[in-house]
Amino acid sequence: MRTKVKFDTVSRVFKKREKEIIIMKRKLSLVLAAAMTLTIALAGCTPAASDPTDSPDNTQPGGETTVRTDMNAQLFSECTSLDPQVNPSSYDLAVMYQIYDSLFEPVDGDYNNLKGSLCESYEVDDAQMNYTLHIRQGVLWHNGDTLTADDVVFSINRMRESAVTMARISFITDVQKVDDYTVTIACAYPSPRLPALFSTASMSIVNKKLVEQYGDNAIETVVGTGAYKLESWEPGGNIVLTSFEEGWRGSPQIKTITYKLITDTNAARIAFQNGEIDTFYASAATDLELFSDETKYTTTAYTNSTQDHLAFNVSRTDSWVSNKTFRQAVAYAIDREALAEITSDGLYKVANSVVAPGNAAYSDTPFPYEYNPEKAKELLADCGYDGAEVGLLYTSSYPISNTWGTTVEAYLRAVGINVKMEGQEYASVVQRVTDRDYDMTMFEYSVSFPDPLSSFYAMFRSDGYYNVWQYITDEMDQRIIELYGEADDNARNQAMMEIDEWAKEEVLYIPSYQQGGYYFRPVELTSTTVPEPMFGWTRICYSSWEA
């Protein structure tokens, strides 16, 4: 017996809109408001419009009101790739979220409530091991090619081979094309979370022909089916996207998105005040004081699933970090509440786990080592610590991570630990972590909301891409694999909580903080969707400017 899932067609858009409304006439405001209400009832990516009579007075000569159709956003760091299966950066994936589509997408940020994107409907057998996907027909790539099952099969197999994504879907054993718009997927274990896994930016569908022709990470392959296409990309500079009017989602109100490379927070703040960018994320409590009372801005509080931690490479037998008692001393030496406060100027919440609250695998069991510097000194004496250098690798080019590194150093030196500071540029840190070349490092990670088990595979399996603590045993490898065969979600979630509690007791990591804070935008810039909960990505095609 197979379960059939067909998504509500309310998310489809008009393919033949009579024209894009850019100039609104005040005398027709009631008619336009009614017309736009009807449009939004049937549109998927067409943003909601408000009554122009409620908008600020932007009346031009002749009684016409001009509505902006562009948006300027901050690019926080230089983009290195727009290939979704190559680049794991959440900043860059926010750009890719506009260019590409996945098979599914969450409704209002809820990965337990999906709607069809490039997959229109699917069937799954009772064992939840065999899926049949029905691909949306008539979808165009930005270069005019038509999406087919060949692209989907190619993309999924590419995900299975990519170091960035392979751990998430390692249980897939076979992917086959049935016809031009039907794909079958076989899994080794019950996989009820497969659709949710296929709904994130990294799992976007790519153009088979172009990737085969130009290879991974090539600029020529940055061709998606999303609401926006790549217009220009300056190396070390800005990225410009323009609306894809022939796209299956319809015509978005915002026609041009310019991502401006601004890595300095002060420069970004000034750019926002001057109207050069349209959103700004607070980097300190003073930003909240500066903007929250301004009536021309909307203030929104947010948290995301990104957690920052101090991670130990326990495989380094020639370093003190392989000694559990030493790690316990480090844990007692750090005031985590104060660390979060100092690092973020009060914006971030102290973390309790590598898993963010709200995730199915989150355990609210307190971190077992509370701040106690005298206890830290006792444990250092007990383990015979001899004052040898212990390296601390972190990104020094970002103010927050640099402050985190220097603050951790101060706490450790206060109890007698000799810290070798290894602050480096982001790319160098990533390479050294990949090479497992560190004693201690700042570990920034988001455990998957769609399927946390895929993240536990990545963190705790010996072949896991994010196994930064390098605690490797056959028993743990087997335990992770056995969880893939557990069909009971509650039992699987409980098992992951137990693994995390064990990792905290072993001091494989010390949780620091959960990222979050406030962001600001002009009141005229509105959106009809909720950001996805892991990284706060939003599809800008659901946003619009009011008059």
Side-chain angles (χ1 to χ4, degrees):
M1 183 176 178
R2 299 178 69 84
T3 300
K4 186 171 185 177
V5 179
K6 185 169 179 61
F7 296 100
D8 193 340
T9 56
V10 72
S11 64
R12 297 184 183 181
V13 298
F14 280 134
K15 298 295 179 66
K16 298 179 180 179
R17 297 180 68 184
E18 293 185 357
K19 66 177 182 178
E20 178 66 24
I21 301 174
I22 299 176
I23 306 297
M24 297 184 183
K25 297 186 179 292
R26 296 245 176 209
K27 63 183 180 180
L28 295 177
S29 63
L30 294 178
V31 175
L32 287 175
M36 293 304 287
T37 300
L38 175 60
T39 300
I40 214 41
L42 298 170
C45 215
T46 307
S50 62
D51 188 334
T53 60
D54 295 330
S55 302
D57 188 1
N58 294 324
T59 305
Q60 303 298 316
E64 297 177 344
T65 302
T66 301
V67 179
R68 280 184 60 183
T69 60
D70 68 304
M71 178 179 169
N72 300 313
Q74 181 184 359
L75 194 61
F76 294 88
S77 61
E78 181 179 349
C79 183
T80 58
S81 168
L82 289 175
D83 188 327
Q85 278 95 57
V86 171
N87 186 357
S89 166
S90 60
Y91 296 132
D92 297 345
L93 285 167
V95 180
M96 290 182 254
Y97 209 52
Q98 319 307 324
I99 298 172
Y100 301 95
D101 288 312
S102 303
L103 292 169
F104 310 92
E105 62 184 69
V107 176
D108 290 335
D110 183 359
Y111 282 106
N112 294 313
N113 181 18
L114 303 177
K115 64 181 178 181
S117 184
L118 296 183
C119 178
E120 211 162 27
S121 63
Y122 70 92
E123 294 99 51
V124 59
D125 65 3
D126 288 344
Q128 300 183 94
M129 295 172 61
N130 296 284
Y131 285 79
T132 300
L133 309 183
H134 300 287
I135 308 306
R136 189 181 297 274
Q137 300 186 27
V139 174
L140 296 179
W141 293 96
H142 297 160
N143 65 349
D145 292 346
T146 300
L147 172 78
T148 70
D150 291 320
D151 298 303
V152 174
V153 171
F154 174 81
S155 297
I156 295 175
N157 283 328
R158 190 172 187 244
M159 296 170 200
R160 294 170 68 194
E161 298 173 356
S162 164
V164 174
T165 55
M166 64 188 303
R168 306 178 198 181
I169 53 173
S170 59
F171 52 84
I172 292 180
T173 58
D174 188 52
V175 185
Q176 293 291 332
K177 169 186 174 181
V178 177
D179 57 43
D180 281 347
Y181 296 101
T182 308
V183 172
T184 59
I185 301 175
C187 305
Y189 313 105
S191 306
R193 303 296 294 174
L194 185 63
L197 279 169
F198 279 138
S199 61
T200 67
S202 290
M203 313 301 270
S204 296
I205 303 301
V206 298
N207 186 298
K208 175 180 184 289
K209 181 181 73 175
L210 295 179
V211 175
E212 287 184 334
Q213 180 178 354
Y214 295 103
D216 295 343
N217 216 22
I219 185 68
E220 293 85 357
T221 66
V222 185
V223 173
T225 58
Y228 295 94
K229 58 186 177 181
L230 180 65
E231 181 70 21
S232 64
W233 179 9
E234 305 168 18
N238 299 343
I239 297 174
V240 179
L241 309 181
T242 55
S243 61
F244 181 46
E245 297 296 317
E246 297 81 14
W248 66 273
R249 295 174 182 272
S251 178
Q253 190 264 352
I254 292 178
K255 302 299 183 185
T256 304
I257 309 168
T258 301
Y259 290 92
K260 297 186 176 185
L261 181 62
I262 308 175
T263 58
D264 180 74
T265 301
N266 292 326
R269 184 184 300 107
I270 294 170
F272 179 67
Q273 290 174 308
N274 292 340
E276 297 167 18
I277 57 176
D278 296 311
T279 56
F280 176 69
Y281 287 80
S283 61
T286 52
D287 290 326
L288 183 61
E289 298 169 5
L290 180 63
F291 295 119
S292 61
D293 292 333
E294 287 274 2
T295 57
K296 63 181 179 180
Y297 299 130
T298 298
T299 302
T300 305
Y302 74 93
T303 56
N304 60 39
S305 66
T306 303
Q307 312 265 91
D308 287 81
H309 319 278
L310 175 63
F312 299 92
N313 183 353
V314 301
S315 69
R316 286 209 158 183
T317 55
D318 59 345
S319 169
W320 278 99
V321 295
S322 64
N323 184 296
K324 179 180 177 180
T325 304
F326 176 84
R327 299 195 304 271
Q328 289 174 321
V330 173
Y332 280 121
I334 298 173
D335 185 339
R336 297 185 303 113
E337 291 277 358
L339 177 62
E341 173 75 26
I342 294 168
T343 300
S344 68
D345 193 20
L347 291 179
Y348 293 170
K349 298 178 179 179
V350 66
N352 181 59
S353 164
V354 72
V355 185
N359 192 302
Y362 173 72
S363 168
D364 59 5
T365 301
F367 185 65
Y369 305 97
E370 291 302 321
Y371 179 52
N372 188 337
E374 294 307 315
K375 180 69 173 177
K377 293 176 184 178
E378 291 177 14
L379 291 175
L380 289 174
D382 289 346
C383 71
Y385 173 62
D386 57 5
E389 277 191 333
V390 181
L392 175 60
L393 179 65
Y394 62 99
T395 303
S396 57
S397 52
Y398 300 146
I400 286 180
S401 56
N402 190 61
T403 301
W404 177 91
T406 56
T407 305
V408 168
E409 177 200 23
Y411 279 122
L412 299 190
R413 287 197 182 278
V415 299
I417 297 175
N418 185 9
V419 181
K420 180 183 178 182
M421 297 294 281
E422 297 180 316
Q424 298 179 5
E425 292 293 316
Y426 175 74
S428 299
V429 172
V430 170
Q431 187 59 56
R432 286 190 57 184
V433 171
T434 301
D435 295 338
R436 309 308 191 212
D437 179 23
Y438 53 89
D439 294 330
M440 304 183 294
T441 188
M442 183 182 200
F443 178 45
E444 185 174 280
Y445 189 58
S446 294
V447 171
S448 172
F449 269 62
D451 183 15
L453 183 55
S454 64
S455 294
F456 272 68
Y457 185 111
M459 292 189 296
F460 293 106
R461 278 272 303 182
S462 58
D463 56 347
Y465 185 75
Y466 294 106
N467 188 344
V468 294
W469 22 80
Q470 288 293 282
Y471 189 101
I472 296 172
T473 66
D474 292 339
E475 291 79 10
M476 180 59 70
D477 283 358
Q478 183 61 29
R479 188 175 186 188
I480 295 293
I481 290 301
E482 288 173 353
L483 287 181
Y484 277 101
E486 176 58 72
D488 186 330
D489 275 349
N490 291 331
R492 182 158 48 173
N493 293 337
Q494 182 60 41
M496 287 186 283
M497 292 180 194
E498 292 170 1
I499 291 172
D500 184 42
E501 289 170 8
W502 162 82
K504 289 189 288 189
E505 198 280 328
E506 284 289 322
V507 206
L508 301 186
Y509 71 92
I510 300 172
S512 294
Y513 50 75
Q514 178 184 12
Q515 293 186 16
Y518 300 87
Y519 71 91
F520 314 96
R521 67 177 188 271
V523 293
E524 298 88 359
L525 180 59
T526 64
S527 177
T528 62
T529 190
V530 174
E532 70 87 47
M534 288 183 63
F535 303 106
W537 299 321
T538 59
R539 295 196 188 275
I540 294 176
C541 61
Y542 292 109
S543 297
S544 64
W545 289 97
E546 296 180 350

